[in-house]
Amino acid sequence: MRTFGVEEELLIVDPVTGEPLALADALLAGRKLAADDAPDKPRIPDPHDSTNDDDATGLTAELKLEQIETQTRPCLDYAELLHQIRQGRGLADRAARKHSARVAALATSPIASTTHTTPNPRYATMQERFGLTVYEQLTCGFHVHTFIESPEEGVAVLDRIRDKLAVLTALSANSPFWNGVETGFESYRTQAWNRWPTSGPSQIFGTHSVYRRVVTRLLDSGVLLDEGMIYFDARLSRNHPTVEVRVADVCLDAEDAALIAVLVRGLVESASREWRAGVDPAPVPTVLLRMAAWQASNCGLRGDLLDFGTFRPAPAEEVVEALVDFVAPVLVEQDELELAREGVSRILNRGTGSEQQRRAMQAELTRGADAPAGLAAVVAHSVEVTMRRSEDINAREPAPVLLRVRQS
């Protein structure tokens, strides 16, 4: 069984007004403000090593001071991962409460706010180079790392999961509002994020040498600052022996986040088996993958998705269930098929994070609140859901940290 771990980006918010608060540097006072993408990110320490004086809190800064990132350790099963996701949320919220703030698993801020770029030279250069894209890039994603035995296996996996990743965007959709506006999208984060020059689906690479050659050509173009800006939907991690899948919104419910991670691990294992069996990747043009991602971002689970076999529209429920069927042989071996089916059914019946946000907004408007009050209520509701069963996690447990992933 492959180990897997996740990174969650959370908004730091005012619990009354719902406004994002630029407090990441305060929450991480005295610690390095280097995000996971940064090329100079310090070695991630072993929290069990008492001689280590590096940051072992499991919290790091991101591009904006209004957000903070949590990381888990490598896990072997859903229950362990869910526990660590909740632990990370509790850790971040305790830090925020010290400054009269809270954290919320919102992929975009419902409320318009001035944003503040984390003060380090790399981000300052990005701000100068990419302008409004950086200024407006207050988005929170959910990244899943799954162990691979070699870079060659990793590239084989990338080639064979690319046609199915849009389904995860739809399942995780949690960003219907943007700067105080109803966007009409379920995952508007996907739209905002895809303004970066390398974001979105990638080509079929075939070999690790080709993957590296493409990365080198992108860097040689002079458009990117460094390799940390290779923002493919799925990529090889530079810091861990993992494939990193990056298409999901941060999930409002911790249970949904753990479910997405289980499905990603199932996709990685299924793809590796196809590669070892000599099954070629589906030759889907990248432009069709972009279309599938746009449709998932726009409709979520409310309408049609593009079926990952035919790339023709099909009811979202059928496409999601087809994804579970695809990874079912692996999930059965890992005793995760029942929980995956139950988790998908839960989201389909209850709605995604976006649908929950809209319901919270509509409830306030029905009670006669104006739009600003309604959006503040959306944030308050989101804080409550984010922290559900997270606040009682024992603070004395080792802090969640994404260590180098190893296969058990």
Side-chain angles (χ1 to χ4, degrees):
M1 187 180 294
R2 296 173 188 269
T3 50
F4 59 161
V6 306
E7 300 160 342
E8 285 200 304
E9 296 164 353
L10 305 171
L11 279 184
I12 307 168
V13 298
D14 185 307
V16 177
T17 68
E19 183 180 2
L21 299 176
L23 289 174
D25 51 352
L27 270 59
L28 296 168
R31 309 187 191 281
K32 298 178 182 179
L33 297 181
D36 187 57
D37 281 340
D40 59 347
K41 183 180 176 73
R43 179 183 66 84
I44 299 176
D46 181 348
H48 302 297
D49 181 0
S50 60
T51 66
N52 196 329
D53 53 17
D54 254 336
D55 178 14
T57 64
L59 303 178
T60 58
E62 257 300 337
L63 177 63
K64 294 294 180 178
L65 287 175
E66 289 81 5
Q67 61 189 157
I68 194 161
E69 183 182 274
T70 72
Q71 306 96 28
T72 71
R73 298 187 189 87
C75 299
L76 280 171
D77 58 39
Y78 170 90
E80 180 187 8
L81 183 67
L82 176 58
H83 176 77
Q84 289 200 28
I85 289 171
R86 287 174 173 160
Q87 186 184 4
R89 292 181 176 199
L91 180 69
D93 195 59
R94 287 195 299 275
R97 281 175 181 260
K98 294 177 182 178
H99 301 274
S100 301
R102 301 296 302 273
V103 297
L106 291 165
T108 56
S109 172
I111 295 175
S113 173
T114 300
T115 66
H116 303 80
T117 301
T118 297
N120 70 33
R122 178 177 185 256
Y123 288 152
T125 304
M126 288 173 68
Q127 179 74 72
E128 180 180 357
R129 175 74 175 85
F130 296 99
L132 192 64
T133 295
V134 170
Y135 179 77
E136 292 189 339
Q137 199 56 239
L138 182 56
T139 62
C140 294
F142 177 69
H143 303 160
V144 182
H145 288 259
T146 306
F147 174 86
I148 51 172
E149 293 183 345
S150 68
E152 284 293 342
E153 181 189 38
V155 171
V157 166
L158 296 180
D159 289 350
R160 289 163 177 80
I161 65 174
R162 61 196 282 274
D163 54 330
K164 305 170 187 72
L165 296 181
V167 185
L168 303 178
T169 299
L171 266 175
S172 66
N174 187 31
S175 44
F177 302 108
W178 176 259
N179 290 332
V181 175
E182 160 63 71
T183 66
F185 284 80
E186 299 300 292
S187 172
Y188 194 74
R189 179 202 64 86
T190 300
Q191 301 296 314
W193 179 256
N194 281 343
R195 289 184 286 180
W196 292 110
T198 60
S199 61
S202 55
Q203 67 186 67
I204 293 175
F205 299 105
T207 65
H208 181 241
S209 62
V210 171
Y211 177 90
R212 290 305 313 171
R213 188 156 61 245
V214 169
V215 169
T216 299
R217 291 292 299 274
L218 289 171
L219 296 174
D220 288 347
S221 72
V223 174
L224 311 180
L225 299 189
D226 50 50
E227 193 170 334
M229 291 191 69
I230 301 295
Y231 291 148
F232 300 153
D233 283 351
R235 67 184 184 183
L236 300 185
S237 172
R238 293 177 303 114
N239 298 317
H240 315 287
T242 63
V243 161
E244 180 187 4
V245 173
R246 304 164 50 82
V247 296
D249 282 5
V250 68
C251 296
L252 194 54
D253 288 82
E255 294 89 345
D256 295 354
L259 169 69
I260 296 291
V262 163
L263 294 176
V264 169
R265 179 168 67 169
L267 282 172
V268 170
E269 177 61 25
S270 299
S272 177
R273 293 182 184 187
E274 287 185 339
W275 170 58
R276 296 180 190 282
V279 178
D280 290 334
V284 182
T286 305
V287 290
L288 264 182
L289 299 183
R290 288 189 178 277
M291 198 77 73
W294 189 94
Q295 181 73 354
S297 168
N298 181 238
C299 294
L301 301 180
R302 292 187 301 138
D304 287 345
L305 297 175
L306 296 192
D307 180 88
F308 57 83
T310 66
F311 281 84
R312 294 181 180 276
E317 181 175 352
E318 293 181 9
V319 177
V320 171
E321 290 174 350
L323 181 72
V324 177
D325 289 342
F326 177 79
V327 296
V330 170
L331 297 183
V332 166
E333 291 179 15
Q334 298 175 171
D335 198 25
E336 293 174 334
L337 180 58
E338 183 178 353
L339 72 84
R341 292 203 189 282
E342 289 177 351
V344 165
S345 178
R346 180 180 66 244
I347 296 175
L348 289 170
N349 292 329
R350 180 209 60 211
T352 62
S354 280
E355 294 174 80
Q356 293 182 70
Q357 288 188 54
R358 284 197 175 97
R359 285 199 297 268
M361 178 67 168
Q362 187 56 48
E364 288 301 303
L365 296 180
T366 300
R367 283 194 283 266
D370 60 11
L375 292 172
V378 168
V379 177
H381 169 77
S382 298
V383 169
E384 178 185 345
V385 177
T386 298
M387 297 309 300
R388 194 173 288 157
R389 289 184 288 281
S390 294
E391 294 171 314
D392 57 351
I393 297 294
N394 192 329
R396 292 175 295 177
E397 292 183 357
V401 176
L402 183 63
L403 302 178
R404 181 164 292 276
V405 182
R406 296 185 179 87
Q407 190 176 35
S408 297

